[in-house]
Amino acid sequence: MIAPNMATMLAFIAKRLPLSQAALQAALFEAADGSFNMISVDGDMSTNDAVYAFAPPGDGDASPAFLAALSRVAGDLALAMVADGEGRNQKRLTIRVTSASNVAQARTVARAIVQQQSGQDRYVR
């Protein structure tokens, strides 16, 4: 039941170094947009989805190294969810779109392909 923009899943990510709430929220939004929001197992969506990030309160901004690490962790968790997806079969399709005008266009193309590949686990990037 995982489709683009998350569905029927809970993800929790914690870090130990202080970070401002605004910085953590922006970093998580970016990481989830490129990972959790781009997976599909059976094409169905649900309202029971969430990804949370926790950090001690602080005034710090997210460093480029933290942003890269958070994106990497989110991507790894998203792929693990595809691998463990309910009703998944033995195949996984990864779609990479090149030469698109922008990210939105690439995602539209990738999602159209995913919708045609019913019954396969997918990770769209």
Side-chain angles (χ1 to χ4, degrees):
M1 296 255 325
I2 299 172
N5 294 327
M6 298 187 284
T8 314
M9 68 110 213
L10 297 172
F12 299 91
I13 301 169
K15 72 182 269 339
R16 296 187 315 182
L17 297 174
L19 193 63
S20 73
Q21 181 179 354
L24 183 58
Q25 184 174 2
L28 180 60
F29 180 83
E30 183 177 328
D33 195 45
S35 58
F36 296 108
N37 288 348
M38 297 306 297
I39 58 177
S40 179
V41 171
D42 63 7
D44 292 329
M45 291 176 55
S46 169
T47 58
N48 301 324
D49 61 326
V51 58
Y52 298 95
F54 302 92
D59 296 331
D61 287 331
S63 69
F66 170 73
L67 295 173
L70 181 61
S71 291
R72 205 167 35 253
V73 166
D76 289 348
L77 286 172
L79 286 173
M81 288 182 185
V82 169
D84 293 339
E86 177 183 342
R88 70 168 187 85
N89 57 31
Q90 300 300 324
K91 298 175 186 171
R92 184 175 80 203
L93 173 65
T94 300
I95 299 170
R96 295 191 192 280
V97 177
T98 58
S99 302
S101 298
N102 53 48
V103 172
Q105 183 185 49
R107 288 181 178 185
T108 299
V109 170
R111 286 187 174 131
I113 294 167
V114 165
Q115 290 172 351
Q116 297 299 314
Q117 300 296 321
S118 63
Q120 294 187 21
D121 297 343
R122 287 130 359 242
Y123 180 64
V124 181
R125 186 158 35 187

